[in-house]
Structure formats: structure tokens, C-alpha cells
PDB file of all heavy atoms in Angstrom:
ATOM      1  N   ILE A  25       3.477  -5.063  20.877  1.00 55.00           N
ATOM      2  CA  ILE A  25       3.735  -6.141  19.925  1.00 55.00           C
ATOM      3  C   ILE A  25       3.944  -5.537  18.544  1.00 55.00           C
ATOM      4  O   ILE A  25       3.558  -4.411  18.284  1.00 55.00           O
ATOM      5  CB  ILE A  25       2.588  -7.173  19.879  1.00 55.00           C
ATOM      6  CG1 ILE A  25       1.250  -6.518  19.476  1.00 55.00           C
ATOM      7  CG2 ILE A  25       2.459  -7.895  21.220  1.00 55.00           C
ATOM      8  CD1 ILE A  25       0.115  -7.510  19.231  1.00 55.00           C
ATOM      9  N   ARG A  26       4.568  -6.277  17.665  1.00 70.00           N
ATOM     10  CA  ARG A  26       4.829  -5.884  16.276  1.00 70.00           C
ATOM     11  C   ARG A  26       5.721  -4.647  16.190  1.00 70.00           C
ATOM     12  O   ARG A  26       5.491  -3.758  15.360  1.00 70.00           O
ATOM     13  CB  ARG A  26       3.543  -5.652  15.494  1.00 70.00           C
ATOM     14  CG  ARG A  26       2.489  -6.703  15.622  1.00 70.00           C
ATOM     15  CD  ARG A  26       2.864  -8.002  14.935  1.00 70.00           C
ATOM     16  NE  ARG A  26       1.722  -8.909  15.032  1.00 70.00           N
ATOM     17  CZ  ARG A  26       1.711 -10.027  15.712  1.00 70.00           C
ATOM     18  NH1 ARG A  26       2.783 -10.415  16.369  1.00 70.00           N
ATOM     19  NH2 ARG A  26       0.650 -10.798  15.753  1.00 70.00           N
ATOM     20  N   LYS A  27       6.740  -4.603  17.029  1.00 76.00           N
ATOM     21  CA  LYS A  27       7.690  -3.481  16.981  1.00 76.00           C
ATOM     22  C   LYS A  27       8.324  -3.411  15.595  1.00 76.00           C
ATOM     23  O   LYS A  27       8.605  -4.416  14.974  1.00 76.00           O
ATOM     24  CB  LYS A  27       8.749  -3.652  18.054  1.00 76.00           C
ATOM     25  CG  LYS A  27       8.180  -3.494  19.445  1.00 76.00           C
ATOM     26  CD  LYS A  27       9.219  -3.695  20.517  1.00 76.00           C
ATOM     27  CE  LYS A  27       8.543  -3.567  21.874  1.00 76.00           C
ATOM     28  NZ  LYS A  27       9.384  -3.971  22.962  1.00 76.00           N
ATOM     29  N   GLY A  28       8.531  -2.199  15.105  1.00 70.00           N
ATOM     30  CA  GLY A  28       9.122  -2.000  13.786  1.00 70.00           C
ATOM     31  C   GLY A  28       8.130  -2.086  12.641  1.00 70.00           C
ATOM     32  O   GLY A  28       8.525  -2.022  11.475  1.00 70.00           O
ATOM     33  N   ARG A  29       6.865  -2.217  12.944  1.00 69.00           N
ATOM     34  CA  ARG A  29       5.838  -2.280  11.910  1.00 69.00           C
ATOM     35  C   ARG A  29       5.000  -1.013  11.979  1.00 69.00           C
ATOM     36  O   ARG A  29       4.806  -0.476  13.041  1.00 69.00           O
ATOM     37  CB  ARG A  29       4.931  -3.504  12.115  1.00 69.00           C
ATOM     38  CG  ARG A  29       5.645  -4.836  12.184  1.00 69.00           C
ATOM     39  CD  ARG A  29       6.226  -5.382  10.919  1.00 69.00           C
ATOM     40  NE  ARG A  29       5.326  -5.730   9.845  1.00 69.00           N
ATOM     41  CZ  ARG A  29       4.757  -6.907   9.673  1.00 69.00           C
ATOM     42  NH1 ARG A  29       4.954  -7.881  10.517  1.00 69.00           N
ATOM     43  NH2 ARG A  29       3.979  -7.105   8.630  1.00 69.00           N
ATOM     44  N   PRO A  30       4.491  -0.491  10.887  1.00 85.00           N
ATOM     45  CA  PRO A  30       4.683  -1.014   9.550  1.00 85.00           C
ATOM     46  C   PRO A  30       6.129  -0.870   9.100  1.00 85.00           C
ATOM     47  O   PRO A  30       6.769   0.147   9.333  1.00 85.00           O
ATOM     48  CB  PRO A  30       3.750  -0.187   8.672  1.00 85.00           C
ATOM     49  CG  PRO A  30       3.453   1.045   9.441  1.00 85.00           C
ATOM     50  CD  PRO A  30       3.637   0.706  10.881  1.00 85.00           C
ATOM     51  N   SER A  31       6.603  -1.904   8.473  1.00 87.00           N
ATOM     52  CA  SER A  31       7.977  -1.958   7.977  1.00 87.00           C
ATOM     53  C   SER A  31       8.049  -1.372   6.568  1.00 87.00           C
ATOM     54  O   SER A  31       7.022  -1.032   5.973  1.00 87.00           O
ATOM     55  CB  SER A  31       8.438  -3.417   7.936  1.00 87.00           C
ATOM     56  OG  SER A  31       7.648  -4.139   6.987  1.00 87.00           O
ATOM     57  N   ALA A  32       9.244  -1.292   6.038  1.00 89.00           N
ATOM     58  CA  ALA A  32       9.405  -0.837   4.649  1.00 89.00           C
ATOM     59  C   ALA A  32       8.616  -1.745   3.711  1.00 89.00           C
ATOM     60  O   ALA A  32       8.008  -1.272   2.752  1.00 89.00           O
ATOM     61  CB  ALA A  32      10.886  -0.818   4.268  1.00 89.00           C
ATOM     62  N   GLY A  33       8.591  -3.035   3.999  1.00 91.00           N
ATOM     63  CA  GLY A  33       7.818  -3.972   3.188  1.00 91.00           C
ATOM     64  C   GLY A  33       6.326  -3.712   3.270  1.00 91.00           C
ATOM     65  O   GLY A  33       5.604  -3.824   2.271  1.00 91.00           O
ATOM     66  N   ASP A  34       5.831  -3.361   4.473  1.00 90.00           N
ATOM     67  CA  ASP A  34       4.415  -3.032   4.635  1.00 90.00           C
ATOM     68  C   ASP A  34       4.054  -1.780   3.844  1.00 90.00           C
ATOM     69  O   ASP A  34       3.001  -1.713   3.204  1.00 90.00           O
ATOM     70  CB  ASP A  34       4.077  -2.798   6.115  1.00 90.00           C
ATOM     71  CG  ASP A  34       4.255  -4.030   6.972  1.00 90.00           C
ATOM     72  OD1 ASP A  34       3.915  -5.140   6.528  1.00 90.00           O
ATOM     73  OD2 ASP A  34       4.747  -3.865   8.119  1.00 90.00           O
ATOM     74  N   LEU A  35       4.929  -0.776   3.899  1.00 92.00           N
ATOM     75  CA  LEU A  35       4.660   0.466   3.173  1.00 92.00           C
ATOM     76  C   LEU A  35       4.734   0.233   1.660  1.00 92.00           C
ATOM     77  O   LEU A  35       3.960   0.825   0.900  1.00 92.00           O
ATOM     78  CB  LEU A  35       5.631   1.561   3.617  1.00 92.00           C
ATOM     79  CG  LEU A  35       5.498   1.958   5.093  1.00 92.00           C
ATOM     80  CD1 LEU A  35       6.554   2.982   5.472  1.00 92.00           C
ATOM     81  CD2 LEU A  35       4.105   2.452   5.430  1.00 92.00           C
ATOM     82  N   GLU A  36       5.614  -0.653   1.237  1.00 97.00           N
ATOM     83  CA  GLU A  36       5.667  -1.018  -0.177  1.00 97.00           C
ATOM     84  C   GLU A  36       4.381  -1.735  -0.585  1.00 97.00           C
ATOM     85  O   GLU A  36       3.841  -1.493  -1.670  1.00 97.00           O
ATOM     86  CB  GLU A  36       6.892  -1.904  -0.461  1.00 97.00           C
ATOM     87  CG  GLU A  36       6.969  -2.432  -1.879  1.00 97.00           C
ATOM     88  CD  GLU A  36       7.128  -1.349  -2.945  1.00 97.00           C
ATOM     89  OE1 GLU A  36       7.399  -0.174  -2.617  1.00 97.00           O
ATOM     90  OE2 GLU A  36       6.958  -1.684  -4.133  1.00 97.00           O
ATOM     91  N   ALA A  37       3.868  -2.600   0.285  1.00 94.00           N
ATOM     92  CA  ALA A  37       2.600  -3.281   0.000  1.00 94.00           C
ATOM     93  C   ALA A  37       1.456  -2.267  -0.103  1.00 94.00           C
ATOM     94  O   ALA A  37       0.567  -2.400  -0.954  1.00 94.00           O
ATOM     95  CB  ALA A  37       2.301  -4.326   1.076  1.00 94.00           C
ATOM     96  N   ALA A  38       1.474  -1.229   0.727  1.00 96.00           N
ATOM     97  CA  ALA A  38       0.453  -0.180   0.653  1.00 96.00           C
ATOM     98  C   ALA A  38       0.555   0.575  -0.668  1.00 96.00           C
ATOM     99  O   ALA A  38      -0.460   0.903  -1.293  1.00 96.00           O
ATOM    100  CB  ALA A  38       0.605   0.783   1.830  1.00 96.00           C
ATOM    101  N   ARG A  39       1.794   0.834  -1.107  1.00 97.00           N
ATOM    102  CA  ARG A  39       1.996   1.524  -2.389  1.00 97.00           C
ATOM    103  C   ARG A  39       1.464   0.672  -3.543  1.00 97.00           C
ATOM    104  O   ARG A  39       0.735   1.170  -4.404  1.00 97.00           O
ATOM    105  CB  ARG A  39       3.482   1.832  -2.594  1.00 97.00           C
ATOM    106  CG  ARG A  39       3.761   2.682  -3.843  1.00 97.00           C
ATOM    107  CD  ARG A  39       5.247   2.775  -4.146  1.00 97.00           C
ATOM    108  NE  ARG A  39       5.858   1.493  -4.468  1.00 97.00           N
ATOM    109  CZ  ARG A  39       5.675   0.824  -5.612  1.00 97.00           C
ATOM    110  NH1 ARG A  39       4.903   1.328  -6.550  1.00 97.00           N
ATOM    111  NH2 ARG A  39       6.265  -0.329  -5.815  1.00 97.00           N
ATOM    112  N   VAL A  40       1.780  -0.606  -3.541  1.00 97.00           N
ATOM    113  CA  VAL A  40       1.321  -1.512  -4.600  1.00 97.00           C
ATOM    114  C   VAL A  40      -0.208  -1.617  -4.580  1.00 97.00           C
ATOM    115  O   VAL A  40      -0.859  -1.616  -5.628  1.00 97.00           O
ATOM    116  CB  VAL A  40       1.992  -2.900  -4.452  1.00 97.00           C
ATOM    117  CG1 VAL A  40       1.348  -3.934  -5.354  1.00 97.00           C
ATOM    118  CG2 VAL A  40       3.488  -2.785  -4.725  1.00 97.00           C
ATOM    119  N   PHE A  41      -0.782  -1.689  -3.389  1.00 96.00           N
ATOM    120  CA  PHE A  41      -2.244  -1.719  -3.253  1.00 96.00           C
ATOM    121  C   PHE A  41      -2.864  -0.484  -3.899  1.00 96.00           C
ATOM    122  O   PHE A  41      -3.813  -0.576  -4.672  1.00 96.00           O
ATOM    123  CB  PHE A  41      -2.635  -1.799  -1.773  1.00 96.00           C
ATOM    124  CG  PHE A  41      -4.098  -1.630  -1.516  1.00 96.00           C
ATOM    125  CD1 PHE A  41      -4.965  -2.711  -1.636  1.00 96.00           C
ATOM    126  CD2 PHE A  41      -4.618  -0.402  -1.153  1.00 96.00           C
ATOM    127  CE1 PHE A  41      -6.328  -2.547  -1.409  1.00 96.00           C
ATOM    128  CE2 PHE A  41      -5.968  -0.230  -0.914  1.00 96.00           C
ATOM    129  CZ  PHE A  41      -6.833  -1.313  -1.044  1.00 96.00           C
ATOM    130  N   ALA A  42      -2.319   0.697  -3.577  1.00 97.00           N
ATOM    131  CA  ALA A  42      -2.848   1.947  -4.122  1.00 97.00           C
ATOM    132  C   ALA A  42      -2.691   2.010  -5.637  1.00 97.00           C
ATOM    133  O   ALA A  42      -3.590   2.485  -6.343  1.00 97.00           O
ATOM    134  CB  ALA A  42      -2.171   3.147  -3.461  1.00 97.00           C
ATOM    135  N   GLU A  43      -1.570   1.524  -6.153  1.00 96.00           N
ATOM    136  CA  GLU A  43      -1.394   1.495  -7.611  1.00 96.00           C
ATOM    137  C   GLU A  43      -2.436   0.594  -8.264  1.00 96.00           C
ATOM    138  O   GLU A  43      -2.989   0.934  -9.312  1.00 96.00           O
ATOM    139  CB  GLU A  43       0.015   1.020  -7.970  1.00 96.00           C
ATOM    140  CG  GLU A  43       1.072   2.060  -7.704  1.00 96.00           C
ATOM    141  CD  GLU A  43       2.478   1.565  -7.999  1.00 96.00           C
ATOM    142  OE1 GLU A  43       2.684   0.339  -8.186  1.00 96.00           O
ATOM    143  OE2 GLU A  43       3.386   2.417  -8.017  1.00 96.00           O
ATOM    144  N   GLY A  44      -2.715  -0.537  -7.637  1.00 95.00           N
ATOM    145  CA  GLY A  44      -3.745  -1.432  -8.158  1.00 95.00           C
ATOM    146  C   GLY A  44      -5.116  -0.796  -8.136  1.00 95.00           C
ATOM    147  O   GLY A  44      -5.896  -0.933  -9.084  1.00 95.00           O
ATOM    148  N   LEU A  45      -5.416  -0.081  -7.059  1.00 94.00           N
ATOM    149  CA  LEU A  45      -6.697   0.640  -6.971  1.00 94.00           C
ATOM    150  C   LEU A  45      -6.798   1.673  -8.085  1.00 94.00           C
ATOM    151  O   LEU A  45      -7.833   1.776  -8.750  1.00 94.00           O
ATOM    152  CB  LEU A  45      -6.804   1.383  -5.638  1.00 94.00           C
ATOM    153  CG  LEU A  45      -7.470   0.704  -4.483  1.00 94.00           C
ATOM    154  CD1 LEU A  45      -7.406   1.607  -3.260  1.00 94.00           C
ATOM    155  CD2 LEU A  45      -8.889   0.324  -4.779  1.00 94.00           C
ATOM    156  N   ARG A  46      -5.734   2.437  -8.259  1.00 92.00           N
ATOM    157  CA  ARG A  46      -5.727   3.473  -9.293  1.00 92.00           C
ATOM    158  C   ARG A  46      -5.980   2.857 -10.661  1.00 92.00           C
ATOM    159  O   ARG A  46      -6.767   3.380 -11.454  1.00 92.00           O
ATOM    160  CB  ARG A  46      -4.397   4.222  -9.277  1.00 92.00           C
ATOM    161  CG  ARG A  46      -4.373   5.409 -10.238  1.00 92.00           C
ATOM    162  CD  ARG A  46      -3.067   6.140 -10.179  1.00 92.00           C
ATOM    163  NE  ARG A  46      -2.004   5.246 -10.618  1.00 92.00           N
ATOM    164  CZ  ARG A  46      -0.720   5.459 -10.425  1.00 92.00           C
ATOM    165  NH1 ARG A  46      -0.314   6.531  -9.788  1.00 92.00           N
ATOM    166  NH2 ARG A  46       0.176   4.619 -10.860  1.00 92.00           N
ATOM    167  N   ALA A  47      -5.371   1.729 -10.947  1.00 91.00           N
ATOM    168  CA  ALA A  47      -5.551   1.062 -12.239  1.00 91.00           C
ATOM    169  C   ALA A  47      -6.980   0.533 -12.399  1.00 91.00           C
ATOM    170  O   ALA A  47      -7.579   0.675 -13.466  1.00 91.00           O
ATOM    171  CB  ALA A  47      -4.549  -0.076 -12.383  1.00 91.00           C
ATOM    172  N   ARG A  48      -7.518  -0.055 -11.338  1.00 88.00           N
ATOM    173  CA  ARG A  48      -8.875  -0.640 -11.425  1.00 88.00           C
ATOM    174  C   ARG A  48      -9.970   0.404 -11.446  1.00 88.00           C
ATOM    175  O   ARG A  48     -10.929   0.291 -12.188  1.00 88.00           O
ATOM    176  CB  ARG A  48      -9.126  -1.584 -10.257  1.00 88.00           C
ATOM    177  CG  ARG A  48      -8.503  -2.935 -10.431  1.00 88.00           C
ATOM    178  CD  ARG A  48      -8.878  -3.793  -9.276  1.00 88.00           C
ATOM    179  NE  ARG A  48      -8.652  -2.995  -8.080  1.00 88.00           N
ATOM    180  CZ  ARG A  48      -8.247  -3.433  -6.928  1.00 88.00           C
ATOM    181  NH1 ARG A  48      -8.085  -4.690  -6.746  1.00 88.00           N
ATOM    182  NH2 ARG A  48      -8.022  -2.651  -5.917  1.00 88.00           N
ATOM    183  N   VAL A  49      -9.831   1.402 -10.568  1.00 85.00           N
ATOM    184  CA  VAL A  49     -10.880   2.417 -10.444  1.00 85.00           C
ATOM    185  C   VAL A  49     -10.718   3.486 -11.516  1.00 85.00           C
ATOM    186  O   VAL A  49     -11.674   4.159 -11.892  1.00 85.00           O
ATOM    187  CB  VAL A  49     -10.897   3.016  -9.009  1.00 85.00           C
ATOM    188  CG1 VAL A  49     -11.894   4.126  -8.894  1.00 85.00           C
ATOM    189  CG2 VAL A  49     -11.183   1.915  -8.013  1.00 85.00           C
ATOM    190  N   GLY A  50      -9.504   3.644 -12.027  1.00 69.00           N
ATOM    191  CA  GLY A  50      -9.248   4.585 -13.108  1.00 69.00           C
ATOM    192  C   GLY A  50      -9.307   6.033 -12.700  1.00 69.00           C
ATOM    193  O   GLY A  50      -9.866   6.857 -13.395  1.00 69.00           O
ATOM    194  N   THR A  51      -8.734   6.335 -11.532  1.00 56.00           N
ATOM    195  CA  THR A  51      -8.756   7.694 -11.033  1.00 56.00           C
ATOM    196  C   THR A  51      -7.452   8.032 -10.334  1.00 56.00           C
ATOM    197  O   THR A  51      -6.690   7.151  -9.992  1.00 56.00           O
ATOM    198  CB  THR A  51      -9.940   7.910 -10.046  1.00 56.00           C
ATOM    199  OG1 THR A  51      -9.977   9.272  -9.689  1.00 56.00           O
ATOM    200  CG2 THR A  51      -9.797   7.048  -8.826  1.00 56.00           C
ATOM    201  N   GLU A  52      -7.229   9.305 -10.105  1.00 46.00           N
ATOM    202  CA  GLU A  52      -6.063   9.741  -9.344  1.00 46.00           C
ATOM    203  C   GLU A  52      -6.447  10.641  -8.189  1.00 46.00           C
ATOM    204  O   GLU A  52      -5.637  11.374  -7.682  1.00 46.00           O
ATOM    205  CB  GLU A  52      -5.078  10.461 -10.272  1.00 46.00           C
ATOM    206  CG  GLU A  52      -4.441   9.519 -11.263  1.00 46.00           C
ATOM    207  CD  GLU A  52      -3.352  10.178 -12.079  1.00 46.00           C
ATOM    208  OE1 GLU A  52      -3.133  11.388 -11.944  1.00 46.00           O
ATOM    209  OE2 GLU A  52      -2.727   9.468 -12.877  1.00 46.00           O
ATOM    210  N   SER A  53      -7.698  10.641  -7.802  1.00 43.00           N
ATOM    211  CA  SER A  53      -8.078  11.475  -6.647  1.00 43.00           C
ATOM    212  C   SER A  53      -9.213  10.856  -5.890  1.00 43.00           C
ATOM    213  O   SER A  53      -9.856   9.960  -6.341  1.00 43.00           O
ATOM    214  CB  SER A  53      -8.464  12.874  -7.085  1.00 43.00           C
ATOM    215  OG  SER A  53      -9.571  12.845  -7.953  1.00 43.00           O
TER     216      SER A  53
END
């Protein structure tokens, strides 16, 4: 089930999530 996932949109959501974490937590590692 869910063939083709994670999709480009899912990976973009992961990138946005990580950017938000970086901004909130204030770290890069």
C-alpha cells in the first residue's frame, strides 16, 4: 500500500519540519 510514498511532497514536509525544529531548538546539530 502507499506506492510512491514518501513522495516529493512528503520529503518537502520533512524538510519544512526540520527547518522548524532548527528555528525552535536553535541548533544545527
Side-chain angles (χ1 to χ4, degrees):
I25 59 172
R26 313 290 185 246
K27 292 179 182 170
R29 305 288 296 271
S31 64
D34 296 320
L35 297 176
E36 175 64 12
R39 186 189 63 73
V40 169
F41 171 83
E43 286 177 347
L45 267 178
R46 186 179 63 195
R48 281 183 313 214
V49 176
T51 185
E52 291 187 356
S53 61

